[in-house]
């Protein structure tokens, strides 16, 4: 009996033989961890036969590796920026190889992107202050529109581009030149209606109107810092350092009332002013979509805030994205939302559902 127990104990004491792990069917000799959108990116792989390289990120890419004697090369061109997970498939087995971070190429024309808008074709217009021309971005590449004026704000109307210049006046783009169309008003931003009237924000606390004949009147504000006047005449309301404005399809003027952290809506038919939506942070830029949704960019103050908010036509405000460098926002004709990141010298596309920012141009 004791002998039987000893045999049983000995049997359990003998360690099980574990077979050695099989080497991965594919190994990466060269796998660059960074790539540029649209440029050729190549990995060098070692495998018994030609594997298929698979990249999964903002999409899915496949490329059959080519080579001989166990060394193969696979080339990909990433169509979008973001993180892409790279794997190799061979004989029904998938081997994870690593991650590639894809970015857009630097554009030498984007030296100081400060303000953005879209034109009727959907192209982006980028205004730059003391450095760099006004540019148009199509398919991620910039071209010069006009040069010679520092730009605080850019807007379009009926296919024509206008800017609020660093000289405090509004300029129209004619061909490749800027033509001054208003006196110096300390204009920080401009919007233009179908009749050719100019509306500008003035930092001291006004919204002014300039007719095609040159007459200047006050639309909103008293020139005294404050927050008052809702549901009454806009000319008797107080604004606090307004920075931006935009015209909606409803004919109303939406104003970034910066230090009040609100968007003010001015009915140009009645002259009445109201607060539109909730707290949008220290807002410095607004853009109105075709459906009446208002997007606002706000900056960091005392270590908090910064990013993009959305206010629905019903007045519900939601923060979509947080960013410490966002200072501009624009909406394309197709509803795409773009964000200017001034300090980063980047322009991103915003996914309103996830809040993710995808680079489309950078300086």
């Amino acid at each position: 009996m004791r002998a039987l127990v000893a045999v049983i104990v000995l049997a359990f004491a003998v360690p099980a033989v574990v077979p050695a792990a099989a080497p991965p069917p594919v190994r990466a000799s060269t796998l660059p961890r960074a790539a540029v959108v649209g440029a050729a990116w190549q990995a060098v792989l070692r495998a018994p036969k030609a594997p298929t390289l698979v990249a999964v990120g903002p999409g899915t890419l496949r490329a059959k590796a080519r080579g001989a004697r166990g060394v193969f090369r696979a080339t990909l061109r990433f169509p979008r920026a973001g993180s892409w997970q790279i794997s190799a498939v061979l004989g029904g087995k998938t081997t994870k190889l690593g991650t590639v971070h894809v970015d857009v190429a630097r554009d030498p024309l984007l030296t100081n992107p400060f303000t953005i808008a879209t034109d009727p074709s959907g192209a982006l217009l980028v205004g730059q202050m003391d450095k760099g021309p006004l540019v148009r971005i199509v398919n991620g590449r910039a071209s010069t529109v006009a040069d010679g004026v520092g730009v605080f704000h850019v807007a379009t109307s009926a296919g024509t581009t206008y800017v609020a210049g660093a000289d405090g006046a509004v300029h129209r783009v004619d061909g490749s030149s800027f033509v001054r169309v208003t006196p110096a008003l300390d204009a920080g931003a401009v919007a233009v209606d179908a009749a050719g009237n100019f509306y500008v924000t003035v930092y001291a606390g006004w919204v002014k109107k300039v007719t095609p004949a040159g007459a200047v009147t006050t639309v909103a504000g008293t020139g005294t810092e404050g927050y008052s006047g809702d549901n009454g005449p806009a000319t008797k309301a107080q604004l606090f350092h307004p920075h931006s404005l935009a015209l909606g399809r409803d004919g109303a003027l939406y104003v970034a009332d910066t230090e009040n952290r609100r968007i003010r809506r001015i009915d140009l038919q009645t002259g009445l002013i109201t607060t539109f939506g909730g707290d949008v942070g220290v807002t410095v830029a607004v853009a109105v979509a075709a459906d009446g949704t208002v997007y606002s960019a706000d900056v960091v103050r005392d270590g908090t805030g910064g990013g993009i908010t959305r206010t629905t036509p019903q007045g519900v405000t939601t923060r979509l994205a947080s960013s410490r460098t966002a200072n501009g926002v624009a909406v394309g004709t197709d509803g795409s939302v773009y964000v200017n990141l001034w300090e980063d010298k980047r322009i991103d596309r915003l996914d309103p559902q996830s809040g993710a920012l995808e680079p489309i141009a950078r300086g």
Side-chain angles (χ1 to χ4, degrees):
M1 185 65 175
R2 290 180 180 177
L4 179 58
V5 171
V7 170
I8 294 173
V9 170
L10 180 62
F12 278 102
V14 175
V17 177
V18 179
V26 181
R27 291 181 293 114
S29 295
T30 302
L31 190 76
R33 299 299 181 177
V36 174
V37 171
W41 172 92
Q42 188 176 85
V44 179
L45 310 173
R46 293 187 178 277
K49 295 190 298 183
T52 296
L53 198 68
V54 180
V56 178
T60 300
L61 303 176
R62 296 177 183 273
K64 185 71 174 180
R66 301 184 182 280
R69 298 181 180 180
V71 179
F72 302 90
R73 288 173 170 79
T75 301
L76 296 174
R77 292 181 185 272
F78 297 95
R80 295 174 61 182
S83 294
W84 294 73
Q85 306 300 318
I86 309 298
S87 301
V89 179
L90 180 62
K93 294 184 177 180
T94 299
T95 303
K96 295 181 179 180
L97 300 178
T99 302
V100 175
H101 300 285
V102 182
D103 204 349
V104 293
R106 292 188 182 278
D107 196 306
L109 289 178
L110 293 175
T111 57
N112 191 25
F114 184 72
T115 178
I116 57 175
T118 59
D119 68 14
S121 73
L124 270 171
L125 295 168
V126 184
Q128 307 186 89
M129 289 199 299
D130 55 339
K131 301 176 182 177
L134 175 70
V135 302
R136 177 180 288 110
I137 295 179
V138 179
N139 297 325
R141 301 304 299 173
S143 60
T144 297
V145 175
D147 204 352
V149 172
V151 176
F152 282 169
H153 186 255
V154 59
T156 62
S157 178
T160 301
T161 300
Y162 300 87
V163 304
D167 59 356
V170 175
H171 301 255
R172 182 182 66 242
V173 176
D174 278 353
S176 59
S177 300
F178 289 111
V179 177
R180 185 165 159 166
V181 292
T182 74
L185 298 166
D186 194 23
V190 60
V192 188
D193 67 19
N197 296 301
F198 302 99
Y199 301 89
V200 301
T201 55
V202 179
Y203 181 79
W206 285 293
V207 175
K208 299 283 188 177
K209 174 183 176 180
V210 185
T211 69
V216 181
T217 56
T218 296
V219 173
T222 63
T224 301
E225 298 173 354
Y227 179 36
S228 68
D230 273 353
N231 303 309
T235 52
K236 295 184 178 180
Q238 289 179 306
L239 307 173
F240 198 166
H241 296 171
H243 271 72
S244 185
L245 77 175
L247 277 165
R249 288 198 175 183
D250 59 356
L253 200 60
Y254 294 84
V255 181
D257 194 357
T258 303
E259 296 296 342
N260 285 323
R261 300 172 179 256
R262 293 294 189 274
I263 296 169
R264 307 295 286 276
R265 180 183 183 274
I266 303 169
D267 187 323
L268 295 178
Q269 295 297 316
T270 64
L272 299 179
I273 189 171
T274 54
T275 294
F276 181 71
D279 188 340
V280 292
V282 185
T283 174
V284 293
V286 291
V288 186
D291 66 355
T293 298
V294 178
Y295 294 89
S296 174
D298 63 291
V299 297
V300 176
R301 176 66 59 79
D302 298 328
T304 62
I308 303 297
T309 62
R310 174 183 60 204
T311 303
T312 67
Q314 294 73 36
V316 178
T317 299
T318 305
R319 181 163 296 279
L320 299 180
S322 295
S323 169
R324 299 186 66 83
T325 61
N327 80 311
V329 64
V331 183
T333 53
D334 63 352
S336 296
V337 181
Y338 301 95
V339 181
N340 189 65
L341 306 173
W342 180 29
E343 294 179 22
D344 299 331
K345 297 183 180 180
R346 286 181 175 272
I347 300 167
D348 289 359
R349 182 185 291 111
L350 171 67
D351 183 338
Q353 302 304 316
S354 67
L357 294 172
E358 177 191 354
I360 61 168
R362 64 171 175 147

